Amino acid sequence: MAYDNIIVEIRGGVGLVTFNRPKALNALSAGLIADLVNALDTLEADNSIGCIVLTGSEKAFAAGADITEIAGRSYLEMYSDDFIADGWERVARCQKPIIAAVAGYALGGGCEIALMCDFIIAADTAKFGQPEIMIGTIPGAGGSQRLARTIGKAKTMDMCLTGRNIGAEEAERAGIVARIFAAADLVDEVIKIAQGIADKSQPIVAMGKEAVNKAFETSLAEGIRFERRLFHATFATEDQTEGMAAFVEKRQPSFKNK
Ligand code: CAA
């Protein structure tokens, strides 16, 4: 898989997608988003891949939408193209687990793409922000909504209205970030975590992901009902039978994704 704006590598059961526009701090151009959509389609169709990792460079995960591409666009062009909806949201629609490994700047659309992933693992150098207010606009790829649901109103308003960046530790305290590693170790550590997920039963992982995501879209009672039905459904799989048998027999399970 060769692309102009990203690098795609297969590491065991993990698909590693690296944003690769270093001169523009991985600004999310139309070309980069098209490459990303194509890579995600390909990785999702590949049964040997059990987890996807999105990453950038040491300096920038991504510094947002490509401002040079959108600066001159009119309201009607943005509206008619439904800018963002087409393409970017593909990340949020991944059925396979997808982890953002963030070092350096994750700003604007970069922060938003990371938030579309199932979880974010950060380098100690990571900086998250929604600086759109500095350039006369607001988040457009779900930042105001996903952040508000993740870290609450106070910090979301602070980030969106002042445009200030927050570092890895503040982001972890606020609940944006699941874990932090030293920048030099980030990608290797995230690949290990991703491989651990890829080694599990893929249909059960997908059900677990669906259950957690339901929490963002429904009432508690409905969410619990949804979770319970999926939990019951795991008992229709060979992998549940194998997983529990392996525990009882004190051995490692051998999942067949069935
Ligand atoms: N779009 C296009 N180019 C960008 C860019 C972006 N979002 N961010 C950085 N670049 C380019 C710079 O123009 C510069 O290019 P040149 O060398 O050709 O001048 C190059 O990347 C390096 O950037 P800087 O020289 O600015 O690097 P720095 O270390 O001094 O600053 C930074 C880094 C603080 C991230 C700064 O580049 C910056 O503020 N970038 C813009 C961040 C931003 O506003 N993002 C939001 C975009 S709008 C959006 O994302 C909307 C949405 O919700 C979808």
Side-chain angles (χ1 to χ4, degrees):
M1 285 184 270
Y3 296 99
D4 291 337
N5 305 287
I6 61 176
I7 298 166
V8 179
E9 295 161 80
I10 307 297
R11 305 260 187 104
V14 178
L16 175 65
V17 178
T18 306
F19 298 144
N20 187 32
R21 295 190 69 213
K23 288 185 184 146
L25 301 184
N26 295 330
L28 301 159
S29 61
L32 187 150
I33 295 294
D35 285 354
L36 178 60
V37 169
N38 188 292
L40 292 178
D41 287 346
T42 306
L43 292 170
E44 290 234 79
D46 182 342
N47 288 336
S48 71
I49 298 298
C51 193
I52 299 166
V53 174
L54 282 192
T55 196
S57 67
E58 277 191 23
K59 179 154 189 203
F61 177 75
D66 190 315
I67 300 169
T68 61
E69 270 187 6
I70 59 175
R73 301 192 78 194
S74 69
Y75 161 71
L76 272 184
E77 285 167 338
M78 295 297 261
Y79 180 79
S80 308
D81 292 355
D82 203 359
F83 179 64
I84 298 292
D86 202 18
W88 295 55
E89 289 283 345
R90 178 67 183 82
V91 177
R93 284 202 312 275
C94 270
Q95 195 182 23
K96 290 188 179 173
I98 177 162
I99 305 172
V102 174
Y105 294 111
L107 302 184
C111 184
E112 293 168 299
I113 290 254
L115 289 165
M116 287 180 204
C117 294
D118 294 323
F119 58 104
I120 299 172
I121 300 181
D124 47 9
T125 58
K127 289 178 225 32
F128 298 86
Q130 297 293 159
E132 291 90 345
I133 202 77
M134 315 284 216
I135 54 169
T137 186
I138 68 169
S144 65
Q145 304 305 297
R146 289 196 176 91
L147 274 177
R149 282 166 171 74
T150 307
I151 64 177
K153 181 176 172 183
K155 268 196 192 288
T156 302
M157 286 289 191
D158 183 3
M159 289 175 72
C160 292
L161 302 190
T162 70
R164 85 173 171 98
N165 296 341
I166 65 174
E169 283 185 15
E170 184 174 357
E172 189 188 31
R173 279 200 307 278
I176 295 177
V177 161
R179 306 190 208 180
I180 301 175
F181 291 103
D185 304 329
L186 178 73
V187 173
D188 287 345
E189 292 294 339
V190 177
I191 295 276
K192 273 190 232 160
I193 293 164
Q195 185 62 54
I197 295 172
D199 289 340
K200 310 230 168 11
S201 165
Q202 293 316 305
I204 305 296
V205 166
M207 286 186 207
K209 165 169 171 158
E210 211 181 343
V212 175
N213 279 333
K214 198 71 175 174
F216 293 94
E217 287 160 8
T218 192
S219 69
L220 179 62
E222 270 310 305
I224 285 173
R225 208 173 116 79
F226 184 83
E227 180 204 71
R228 185 99 4 102
R229 291 293 172 248
L230 279 182
F231 169 67
H232 294 161
T234 64
F235 285 73
T237 66
E238 290 179 22
D239 286 341
Q240 173 274 329
T241 309
E242 164 63 9
M244 292 195 183
F247 176 82
V248 171
E249 292 160 18
K250 301 192 186 305
R251 60 174 173 81
Q252 287 300 309
S254 169
F255 294 124
K256 302 271 187 318
N257 297 332
K258 287 183 182 168

